[in-house]
Each structure stands twice: as C-alpha cells, then as structure tokens.
Amino acid sequence: MEVVQIQRNLVDYTKSLFMEGFLDGQFLQLQQLQDESNPDFVAEVVSLFFDDSQKLLNELTIALDQPIVDFKKVDAHVHQLKGSSSSIGAQKVKNACIAFRNFCEVQNIEGCLTCLQQVKLEYYLAKNKFETLFRLEQQIVASGGSIPMIEMGF
Amino acid sequence: MGEGGGVAGGCGNNFSEDMAVELGDEPHVLAVDDNLIDRKLVEKLLKNSSCKVTTAESASRALDYLGLGNETLKGTVSKVNLIITDYCMPGMTGYELLKKIKESSLLKEVPVVIMSSENIPTRISQCLEEGAKMFMLKPLKQSDVMQLKWRLIKCKD
C-alpha cells in the first residue's frame, strides 16, 4: 500500500475516534507536544497510561471483592484513573470514571461493580484504538513517510 | 467551559507591588504530582516552555528536595524558581505543601501554583488566600503554561 494511502487511513481513523468520542481535544495537546527532540512522546505517555491503568483496574477488582469494601480506597483509585485518562484525552474512559465516582460517593456496591465493568470495557476499547493508531503511524514511518497532523475545528 | 483547563490567579488583589518574579531565561521548576502520567505531561509542557524541570511524586519528596524535609541531606538543596503542585495527593496535600512553603523563611518567596482536576471555588480561594500565585485546572494545556509564564513574569500590580 502506498504511503499516501496509509496517511489518509490514519487521518480518517483519527478523525473517527474524535467523532465517536473516544478521544477529546486533550489528545491533540499531547500530539502538539511531540517534536523532533521527543518523537515518541505520545506513544510513551499512552504506554504509561496502559501500564498504570492495568494496575489500577487490578486494584479496583480486588478492593471491590473485599467482604467490607473500603469506598475511600476505591474512590482514590478511580480518581487516579480519571486523572490519567483525562490527561491523555481518553474521553470515554474518563466519563466512565466520573460515573463510577458517583457510586463510590453514595457507597453503592452494585453500582460500583457495574461501573468497574464499564470502565474495563472502555479501557480495553481505548487500548485497542490507540494500538491501531500507533500501528498506522509505524507503517507510515517505516515507509519513509511523515505523520500527518490532524486539523480539527475545536 | 466544556473541556476543563483554565487558570485563576490572585495578581492584583492582595499582593504588594514587589511580587514581580524574575524567572530568568530558564527557570527551574519543581513539579509535584502523585500521578505518573500527569507528571510526564507537566514536565513536557514546562520543558517545551524552556524550563528546567524536576519532578516529585509526593509533597514529602518535594520538601526533601527543597531542604525542608526530614530526609534532606546537607548540601543537596537546590534552588527552584517556581513550584507547581497537584492539590489532591495522598499523605500531604498540595495545600498543606503550600502552607509549609509559605511558613518557611527559606522558601516563602518562591511562587507556588496549584493544579487540580476539580473546579471547586472554595478550594481555589483557599489556595489563593494561603499565598498560591495561581490555580490551574487539569488537564493542563500549552496555553495554560504560556499564561502561567506570562503572568508570573508580568505580575506587577
């Protein structure tokens, strides 16, 4: 496949992620911070997000599985996840965390369990989307092309 | 404001005329945040604005670095021109860190900026009253850091 076609695919794919609400403007901020001195900045930060989130999701699963749930602890973990997802522009993950925190506040265990499932789902979807995005970028770079900047009307 | 991110500052309200801060060409900033992703982000934002950056993952580590902590080694205290800290941190909060800095004769002149993902007016005014130069909403954007630099250099009224 020609580089131009992959570049077009990347642009279309990225735009669709914004349109579908997976990404918000904060992701553009991350992309704008990337430069020649740090060409892998976005991939690095997103990779940190994956590792950090996986740990938090594991902690949350354990915390909600306790005979007596420590809602403060659960909320603290969700707060972290909400913060990280917000900072990288993973909008659906962030929104799922917001809903989760509401159930923590009222100490509703069933609500929390449902939200945990929802956050996990959104997280895995986001991870999948990001991986596809980075794969397309790698294909472009491997073919000698440059990553096109997305123009969005924010 | 739909997306979050924004600044509130106390310049011109209860501060004297001597609050102009000479940040110099490459200010040394200490960024404190317990969230790893946020630390990476603030570090890059600041570096892209020509700042030298040191990060700390907690208020107590920050105090050690600043020379106010229990674990400070003699001779390793570094000079910083600005401290930017998250509000919500386990152990000591950013607000408590702010108070400790303002209580210190060594450090009270160093401008402190508080960041938070939560837009709570009482929290904001509490921090400004305690001497924070600015309060910024997370997630941080490039425009926030630019405004921060501009305000801290220009704040003279």
Side-chain angles (χ1 to χ4, degrees):
Chain A
M1 194 184 286
E2 278 194 30
V3 172
V4 175
Q5 186 55 53
I6 313 176
Q7 284 170 328
R8 242 181 252 137
N9 290 350
L10 174 64
V11 170
D12 290 343
Y13 189 71
T14 310
K15 283 189 173 170
S16 74
L17 294 181
F18 281 100
M19 292 306 152
E20 290 164 25
F22 284 100
L23 296 178
D24 63 29
Q26 186 64 17
F27 185 70
L28 289 176
Q29 285 287 320
L30 277 195
Q31 288 187 315
Q32 283 166 22
L33 285 174
Q34 188 161 287
D35 54 27
E36 302 86 46
S37 71
N38 207 326
D40 298 314
F41 176 70
V42 180
E44 280 171 15
V45 176
V46 174
S47 171
L48 282 174
F49 171 72
F50 290 160
D51 293 339
D52 198 56
S53 303
Q54 194 58 66
K55 285 194 199 113
L56 286 167
L57 290 172
N58 292 343
E59 297 286 336
L60 282 165
T61 306
I62 293 168
L64 285 172
D65 202 32
Q66 300 305 306
I68 298 181
V69 173
D70 182 349
F71 285 100
K72 270 187 108 174
K73 193 178 192 178
V74 173
D75 185 70
H77 289 321
V78 182
H79 174 81
Q80 282 290 307
L81 189 54
K82 177 186 152 246
S84 323
S85 53
S86 169
S87 291
I88 66 162
Q91 188 172 242
K92 289 196 186 205
V93 180
K94 177 189 80 173
N95 289 344
C97 288
I98 292 172
F100 197 156
R101 289 194 81 193
N102 291 337
F103 283 108
C104 288
E105 211 174 324
V106 298
Q107 307 207 348
N108 180 329
I109 184 75
E110 287 307 315
C112 282
L113 286 168
T114 305
C115 282
L116 177 59
Q117 291 318 306
Q118 190 61 31
V119 171
K120 281 181 176 173
L121 174 64
E122 294 299 349
Y123 166 72
Y124 289 122
L125 281 172
K127 185 162 196 267
N128 199 276
K129 302 289 181 184
F130 278 121
E131 282 169 349
T132 304
L133 197 69
F134 294 135
R135 206 160 39 239
L136 285 169
E137 285 188 354
Q138 279 160 11
Q139 280 172 12
I140 292 168
V141 170
S143 310
S146 59
I147 314 289
M149 286 309 287
I150 311 292
E151 301 296 321
M152 300 288 296
F154 281 103
Chain B
M1 192 176 281
E3 284 188 51
V7 294
C11 288
N13 293 342
N14 12 324
F15 297 100
S16 72
E17 288 167 344
D18 306 316
M19 279 312 207
V21 175
E22 294 305 315
L23 288 189
D25 287 333
E26 214 192 45
H28 184 188
V29 183
L30 174 64
V32 192
D33 199 317
D34 60 313
N35 186 308
L36 175 60
I37 283 89
D38 287 345
R39 274 203 304 281
K40 275 268 171 254
L41 179 61
V42 76
E43 180 185 42
K44 190 72 168 86
L45 281 167
L46 290 167
K47 280 186 170 165
N48 276 24
S49 286
S50 315
C51 295
K52 177 173 177 245
V53 186
T54 300
T55 59
E57 61 185 27
S58 68
S60 56
R61 289 278 176 96
L63 288 173
D64 287 339
Y65 186 79
L66 294 166
L68 295 181
N70 300 326
E71 302 299 320
T72 298
L73 301 166
K74 288 243 179 318
T76 62
V77 176
S78 297
K79 189 166 189 327
V80 299
N81 305 110
L82 167 67
I83 297 161
I84 174 167
T85 177
D86 190 25
Y87 184 95
C88 273
M89 294 188 291
M92 198 187 298
T93 66
Y95 176 68
E96 286 157 357
L97 174 61
L98 166 67
K99 282 205 285 191
K100 283 229 153 42
I101 291 164
K102 293 303 166 190
E103 279 161 17
S104 150
S105 50
L106 190 69
L107 290 168
K108 64 182 180 205
E109 297 305 319
V110 179
V112 181
V113 171
I114 309 272
M115 317 178 262
S116 177
S117 54
E118 287 157 322
N119 188 351
I120 301 171
T122 48
R123 177 181 289 185
I124 297 172
S125 45
Q126 181 193 46
C127 289
L128 294 177
E129 270 158 40
E130 199 58 44
K133 271 298 186 116
M134 282 176 88
F135 188 98
M136 304 205 295
L137 283 178
K138 287 165 129 183
L140 291 189
K141 298 173 168 33
Q142 281 183 302
S143 53
D144 293 330
V145 175
M146 279 189 237
Q147 195 171 356
L148 166 69
K149 266 194 106 174
W150 186 89
R151 269 184 119 130
L152 289 181
I153 294 169
K154 298 282 189 202
C155 179
K156 282 184 160 109
D157 47 1

